[in-house]
């Protein structure tokens, strides 16, 4: 429910009157005195709150046991994780471990290694990531609550998270490229698309900078998603070779533009950097041109080329060459204003909004006009042979929004919102098209300051075909003076802004410090779209396969068996004991140890940790985990349950005796 301000104040007045009555006439009066509590108006006066402050506080407060209406999935930046955050409370509900081992979830300490190993690069273990763009799975262009994808910008990898248990199921390494930037799903999530960032020789080859124009390329990868299996299907995925511009953000067309993707580029100058040799640094060299290009790509046509076998294979991955793309009219360019960054498709798919970091306007392109210009047959070509659609032929409008515009999201009222990095503000402007607010035309409505240096913004369901509106979160890069000082490294600031239809102006509601990595981008979904399990469906569940594990241990079947040098420990866990409790093995044996949590009670998670051997598990109700290690050190090792699960939790322990 969205709060209307008048209702809030009416409600507060009634509660206040009721409390006053209670204080005078009832036993509550003594309670009130005993607790030393006061009325809310005293608190308001003592803490110097304004009416707006009280409105903001009441808008975000969740009494105990009340759930949030929305859940935001925010990338965790260099933490390598994803954060699930409730709205409007802005409470962190959970970290989802993705690219970085995470002890609380037992991810990477005896369990989860296979998933992490999926992201190894040429056999090299990489145990961190820069999570950048979360992409929720969609059906019909709206989030369906089933899967979440996230990319690792630093190492060019993509992960798949199953939202039934909020666990990472797959990490896939791109064999063509070591970095990426964009990640987004098509409206039906048949593809998850990984955009590139910095050009490089394809497939990890070496080439000197002097060969940049000939040997470096851009890449966009179309990962086929198998929804049934819940995995990316690399064998049916393919990549597109692009010019060595730096591809930046991309977005998928939707509704009228479904089947197309739009990618910004910068460094169309092909700057080579080299400040140390007296060359212009990249920041200057890559910003010389007044325009760069948007790639307009018909991915359905590219898919047909792939299915027809029109590709080359690099490191086992299908790559459609730029030449083939151009010959088959798959790719077109159109100019974009200075240093383009965000590219965002409007809910009906009819407009594509681009912001240039060094241009105070957003530029709105018409998909219809693009199609007409392609039909008319463009005559100009870029240096790589890609046809160029003239800017005048495809532009619909430009709106002056402020300095440093980056990213745009949409609401349910026909407004667009654009982050302004240099102004540290968010602009609300009206989309003049027939599907939006023709009554207001293409015009700036208002701006609201944010603290400070906003990158992305997220509106509730604001990048889907049917935005919810209600709230906007500003993901600010700097917090400067907003919070208690934590030394030279400060938290990021996520600010919650009320953009509800019942308010005339945007209002700041909440500042949320996040000291766990840079939350780069976020998507906000209605919480009721989630279909998350309360406990695993059956006892003995293996979250890696989402089915019962044949190694799972049933009560009564516990024990220790041997096969040659391998010792199998089969154990169950239930409050407040493990069975068996004493495990005797010999130094030098290989240990295969299975623990099945046979609990069916919600939240009855048991932990399990063995010192020295680096084992640390979280075994959720119904879950079965098998881990292995070589018992290479003799001694007596105590283990214990690391979750405070019951009154006798301290007794939930045991001994591993490794006899030399
Ligand atoms: S892009 S802050 Cu790395 Cu998402 Cu614009
Ligand atoms: Cu089980 Cu503590």
């Amino acid at each position: 429910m969205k709060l209307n301000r008048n209702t809030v104040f009416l409600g507060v007045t009634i509660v206040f009157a009721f409390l006053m009555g209670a204080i005078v006439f009832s036993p509550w009066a003594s309670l009130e005195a005993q607790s030393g509590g006061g009325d809310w108006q005293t608190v308001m006066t003592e803490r110097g709150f304004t009416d707006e402050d009280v409105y903001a506080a009441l808008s975000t407060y969740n009494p105990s046991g009340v759930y949030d209406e929305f859940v935001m999935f925010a990338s965790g930046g260099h933490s390598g994780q994803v954060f699930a955050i409730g709205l409007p409370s802005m409470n962190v509900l959970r970290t989802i471990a993705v690219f970085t081992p995470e002890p609380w979830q037992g991810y990477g300490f005896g369990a989860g290694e296979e998933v992490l190993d999926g992201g190894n690069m040429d056999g090299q273990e990489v145990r961190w990531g820069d999570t950048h763009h979360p992409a929720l799975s969609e059906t019909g262009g709206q989030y369906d609550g089933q899967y979440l994808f996230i990319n690792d910008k630093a190492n060019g990898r993509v992960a798949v998270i199953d939202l039934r248990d909020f666990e990472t199921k797959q990490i896939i390494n791109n064999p063509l490229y070591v970095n990426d930037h964009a990640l987004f799903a098509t409206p039906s999530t048949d593809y998850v698309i990984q955009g590139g960032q910095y050009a490089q020789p394809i497939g990890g080859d070496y080439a000197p900078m002097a060969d940049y124009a000939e040997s470096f390329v851009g890449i966009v990868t179309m990962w086929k998603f198998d929804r049934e299996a819940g995995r990316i299907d690399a064998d049916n995925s393919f990549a597109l070779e692009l010019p060595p511009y730096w591809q930046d953000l991309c977005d998928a067309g939707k509704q009228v533009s479904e089947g197309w993707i739009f990618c910004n580029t910068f460094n169309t100058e092909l700057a080579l950097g080299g400040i140390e040799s007296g060359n212009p640094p990249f920041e200057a060299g890559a910003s010389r041109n007044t325009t760069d290009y948007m790639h307009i790509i018909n991915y359905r046509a590219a898919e047909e080329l792939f299915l027809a076998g029109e590709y080359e294979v690099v490191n086992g991955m299908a790559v459609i060459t730029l030449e083939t793309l151009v010959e088959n009219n798959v790719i077109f360019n159109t100019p974009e204003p200075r240093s383009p960054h965000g590219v965002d498709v409007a809910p009906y798919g009819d407009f594509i909004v681009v912001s240039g970091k060094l241009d105070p306007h957003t530029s709105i392109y018409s998909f219809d006009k693009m199609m007409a210009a392609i039909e008319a047959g463009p005559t100009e070509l870029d240096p790589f042979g890609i046809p160029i659609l003239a800017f005048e032929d495809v532009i619909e409008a430009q709106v002056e929004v402020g300095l440093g515009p980056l990213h745009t999201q949409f609401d349910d009222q026909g407004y667009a919102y654009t982050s302004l990095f240099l102004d540290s503000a968010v602009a609300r402007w009206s989309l003049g098209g027939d599907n939006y607010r023709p009554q207001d035309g293409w015009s700036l409505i208002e701006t609201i300051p944010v603290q400070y240096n906003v990158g992305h913004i997220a509106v509730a369901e604001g990048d889907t075909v049917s935005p919810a509106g209600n709230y906007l979160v500003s993901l600010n890069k700097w917090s400067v003076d907003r919070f208690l000082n934590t030394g030279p490294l400060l938290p990021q600031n996520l600010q919650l802004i009320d953009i509800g239809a019942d308010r005339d102006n945007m209002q700041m509601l909440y500042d949320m410090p996040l000291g766990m990595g840079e939350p780069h981008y976020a998507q906000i979904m209605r919480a009721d779209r989630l279909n998350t399990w309360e406990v695993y469906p059956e006892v003995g569940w293996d979250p890696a396969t989402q089915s019962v594990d044949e190694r799972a241990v049933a009560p009564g079947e516990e024990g220790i068996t041997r096969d040659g040098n391998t010792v199998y420990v089969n154990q169950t866990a239930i409050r407040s004991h493990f069975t068996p409790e004493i495990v005797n093995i010999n130094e030098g044996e290989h240990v295969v140890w299975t623990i099945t949590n046979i609990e069916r009670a919600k939240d009855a998670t048991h932990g399990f940790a063995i010192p020295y051997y680096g084992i640390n598990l979280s075994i959720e109700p119904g879950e079965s985990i098998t881990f292995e290690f070589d018992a290479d050190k003799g001694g007596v090792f105590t283990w214990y349950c690391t979750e405070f699960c019951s009154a006798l939790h301290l007794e939930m322990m045991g001994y591993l005796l490794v006899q030399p």
Side-chain angles (χ1 to χ4, degrees), residues 75 130 132-134 151 153 180-183 197 248-249 341-342 357 406-407 419 421 453-457 475 477 518-522:
S75 61
D130 180 8
H132 223 63
H133 292 107
N151 65 315
K153 174 175 160 135
D180 66 28
H181 189 209
L183 191 82
Q197 177 94 90
D248 200 33
L249 270 191
H341 187 56
K357 300 183 290 264
L406 296 180
H407 297 287
S419 52
F421 182 84
N453 300 8
V454 53
H456 274 276
I457 50 177
L475 295 119
K477 308 293 187 190
E518 190 216 57
H520 185 81
Y521 178 49

Side-chain angles (χ1 to χ4, degrees), residues 168-361:
T168 302
K169 303 301 174 188
Q170 183 184 25
I171 298 176
I172 198 157
N173 175 44
N174 193 324
L176 304 175
Y177 237 50
V178 298
N179 71 84
D180 66 28
H181 189 209
L183 191 82
F184 55 106
T186 58
S188 62
T189 315
D190 53 344
Y191 288 100
V192 180
I193 307 176
Q194 183 186 20
Q197 177 94 90
Y198 304 119
Q200 66 172 101
I202 196 166
D205 281 354
Y206 169 81
M209 289 303 288
D211 294 353
Y212 185 87
E214 304 76 45
S215 302
F216 287 48
V217 297
I219 290 282
V220 164
T221 306
M222 311 285 302
W223 293 110
K224 182 79 179 168
F225 184 60
D226 180 343
R227 199 186 278 264
E228 205 54 38
R231 298 288 188 279
I232 284 171
D233 174 5
D235 293 341
N236 286 302
S237 303
F238 59 97
L240 313 177
E241 183 204 333
L242 299 172
Y245 308 147
W246 293 349
Q247 280 72 31
D248 200 33
L249 270 191
C250 305
D251 200 4
K254 45 175 99 94
Q255 310 224 58
V256 295
S257 53
E258 185 158 355
W260 292 75
I261 56 178
F262 309 93
C263 290
N264 284 334
T265 66
F266 61 121
N267 197 17
T268 50
E269 298 85 351
L270 308 185
L272 298 178
I275 188 172
E276 66 288 348
S277 315
N279 297 332
F282 279 119
E283 60 173 318
S287 312
R288 268 197 317 264
N289 294 350
T290 48
T291 57
D292 291 286
Y293 290 123
M294 181 201 309
H295 294 317
I296 303 160
I297 299 170
N298 182 343
Y299 81 81
R300 285 290 172 216
E303 183 184 43
E304 278 169 33
L305 291 172
F306 167 65
L307 295 174
E310 299 282 320
Y311 57 80
E312 292 176 0
V313 176
V314 180
N315 289 348
M317 182 93 187
V319 180
I320 306 178
T321 63
L322 181 55
E323 204 183 338
T324 307
L325 295 174
V326 170
E327 269 171 21
N328 290 280
N329 297 319
V330 173
I331 182 167
F332 303 89
N333 282 346
T334 194
E336 297 176 316
R338 302 188 66 106
S339 290
H341 187 56
V343 55
D344 297 284
V345 179
Y348 288 87
D350 43 0
F351 297 116
I352 296 104
V353 180
V354 167
S355 298
K357 300 183 290 264
L358 305 178
D359 180 314
H361 300 85

